[in-house]
Structure formats: structure tokens, C-alpha cells
Amino acid sequence: MAPSLDRQGYWGRPTSTLDWCEENYVVSFYIAEFWNTVSNLIMILPPICGAILTFRDGLEFRYVCSFLGLAAVGVGSWCFHMTLLYEMQLLDELPMIYSTCVFVYCLYECFKQENNISFIPIALLLIFSVSVTVVYLQWKEPVFHQVMYGALVACLVMRSIFIVTWVYPWLRPLCYTSLVVFLFGFLLWNIDNIFCDTIRASRQTLPPGVGVVTQFHAWWHIFTGLGSYLHILLSLQIRATYLKYRPKVKFLCGVWPTLHIDPQKTS
């Protein structure tokens, strides 16, 4: 990550433990990292729409929480990149842990009776979340957060692959699409971190409209936001299929995938 040697703006000197590769306050005096900020819209608007549709279709509230958790990550990330303040960094990073715990619960409890609540997994995930929070507040090391988040994602990947391999193989395209999209975003995140100096130098020689394409952390938001959204659709479809509902993927405006649940069960 590049040090903060950029312009000063509305929110003052950055206090976060991370300052990403986008030059600060270049586009707007009020937004520290403009492209890293607005790219979070993909993690805010579609999940809110998904939560509304899921609530309307009457599926279990845990899936509404999944969508709203992803939206909360998007809002927190927006605030973090807009201000580069430490408090806003926590508003971004800690919801990543909490929302992914919801994803884990949904996917590992997908083959239970309808409206069944398993308290042991909830307790374990709560203990994990609280422990990570306490440690991270005391030990302000971003790598710790990244490792804990990565462990949760690994649990999701293993469970998803198991289900589409042995239980519902017809869901492989959706599973592997969400995984590849997410991993591609992770690749761009690493490129942005490792080659930041080179990327920044290249932006000085590129036209502004072209230089925007090199904002790889913004692309990380877009691809991981889409990958996470598709994962929730996968989890929803697994659950709806198990409960013998009739899940059907539809495309909003012919582009954006949404899942609609027929309340009438199959025989």
C-alpha cells in the first residue's frame, strides 16, 4: 500500500492503518479515494434489492440478514475510503467478519428443517466474531483481519464445492462463477498492493479516463461484491431447493440476476 503523500482534503490527515493505491483527494475535495468509494455501490444497492425480494418471498430471515450484511460492508467501505479515518476503517473491516459469519451459518445449516435455529453454530460464530473484534481492537494489524476473513471465506468455498459436487451438481455453474469472480477480484487486490508504485507512475502518463481503469482496488470492490452477491443467490437456491420450493433466477433489466421463490412447494 502506498503511503499517504497526497493532497489534504475535507477529512484531514488519514488516521487509518491502511492507505490504498488510489491518490488521495484527486477527484474530490470531500472524498479521499473517489473511485474506491463509489465502486462500493455494487455492494449496497443490489443487496438491498435482494433483501427486499427475499423478505417479500417469505424465505427465512437469515437470508435477508445475508443481503443486509453485504450492504453493511459496502456502506462501511464507502465511509472508510471516503474519509481514511481509523474509525471508518473498523466500520469497513469488522462487518466483513460479521456478514461472512452469517454466510457460513446459512450454508452450513442449509439442510435443516424450515425455520430451524441451531444455537451451537450461532454461539461458535458469535465467539469467533467477538474474539476477532477484541483482538483486532487491541492489535491493530491488518494482516490479522485479512487472515481471519480468509479463513471464513475458505470455509464457504469448501462447503460450496462439497454441495455442488455431491448434492446439487446442477448448481456448479453458479457456484464456480461466484468463486472465479471473487478470486479475480482478489487477484486485482494483490496487484494493486504489490505493484502500487508502478501503477501510480503509469497513471501519470495515461489520459484520466484511461487511468481510472488502473484503480484495481475499486475493481476488487466490484468483483468481490458481485461474487459475494452470487454466493448468496447460490446459498438461497440450495436452501429453497432443499425445502422443495421453486427457485427461479430472473434478470433485472435483463442484466442483474435475482432469485424469485415460488411459495408453492413441489411434491
Side-chain angles (χ1 to χ4, degrees):
M1 296 103 183
S4 182
L5 42 80
D6 309 282
R7 305 176 187 177
Q8 291 295 306
Y10 179 81
W11 301 99
R13 187 176 183 83
T15 59
S16 58
T17 61
L18 294 170
D19 191 357
W20 304 97
C21 196
E22 181 178 354
E23 296 83 353
N24 299 344
Y25 296 106
V26 171
V27 177
S28 171
F29 175 75
Y30 299 98
I31 301 177
E33 296 176 345
F34 182 84
W35 300 109
N36 287 351
T37 298
V38 299
S39 58
N40 285 291
L41 285 172
I42 197 171
M43 283 192 283
I44 300 174
L45 299 182
I48 290 175
C49 178
I52 294 172
L53 292 175
T54 302
F55 181 77
R56 184 201 65 183
D57 289 341
L59 208 58
E60 291 152 312
F61 188 64
R62 68 186 73 166
Y63 295 98
V64 177
C65 292
S66 292
F67 281 118
L68 294 180
L70 181 57
V73 173
V75 171
S77 183
W78 178 292
C79 295
F80 170 34
H81 291 287
M82 181 174 69
T83 65
L84 290 180
L85 298 178
Y86 175 68
E87 296 79 7
M88 298 300 104
Q89 179 181 349
L90 294 178
L91 191 64
D92 171 22
E93 293 176 331
L94 293 178
M96 291 172 65
I97 299 294
Y98 307 151
S99 62
T100 310
C101 282
V102 177
F103 298 169
V104 169
Y105 178 81
C106 289
L107 202 58
Y108 278 80
E109 295 294 307
C110 61
F111 299 127
K112 298 291 180 67
Q113 293 181 348
E114 191 168 8
N115 295 314
N116 177 73
I117 298 177
S118 301
F119 291 101
I120 292 179
I122 291 176
L124 291 175
L125 290 168
L126 279 174
I127 292 171
F128 178 83
S129 299
V130 171
S131 300
V132 170
T133 300
V134 171
V135 172
Y136 193 45
L137 289 176
Q138 298 298 319
W139 184 35
K140 301 177 176 62
E141 174 51 64
V143 174
F144 169 75
H145 167 267
Q146 292 160 10
V147 169
M148 294 298 100
Y149 176 66
L152 290 172
V153 171
C155 291
L156 290 177
V157 171
M158 291 187 293
R159 178 65 167 173
S160 299
I161 292 177
F162 172 81
I163 291 173
V164 301
T165 300
W166 301 105
V167 187
Y168 298 139
W170 59 88
L171 291 178
R172 286 178 188 172
L174 179 57
C175 175
Y176 294 144
T177 299
S178 67
L179 179 59
V180 169
V181 168
F182 189 95
L183 290 178
F184 183 65
F186 181 62
L187 172 64
L188 296 180
W189 182 83
N190 279 283
I191 291 174
D192 192 71
N193 290 341
I194 297 170
F195 301 105
C196 180
D197 292 338
T198 302
I199 294 170
R200 279 193 162 195
S202 70
R203 288 187 194 133
Q204 304 301 317
T205 63
L206 294 172
V210 178
V212 171
V213 179
T214 66
Q215 300 291 354
F216 292 128
H217 192 87
W219 286 110
W220 145 262
H221 290 159
I222 292 170
F223 284 106
T224 55
L226 175 58
S228 299
Y229 178 88
L230 292 175
H231 167 79
I232 298 174
L233 290 191
L234 172 68
S235 184
L236 258 173
Q237 193 153 14
I238 291 170
R239 182 61 171 162
T241 302
Y242 175 76
L243 295 177
K244 298 185 178 180
Y245 288 108
R246 298 174 179 173
K248 184 178 181 180
V249 176
K250 296 183 179 180
F251 290 88
L252 188 64
C253 300
V255 177
W256 192 262
T258 59
L259 191 68
H260 295 255
I261 308 295
D262 187 337
Q264 183 178 357
K265 292 188 177 183
T266 59
S267 57

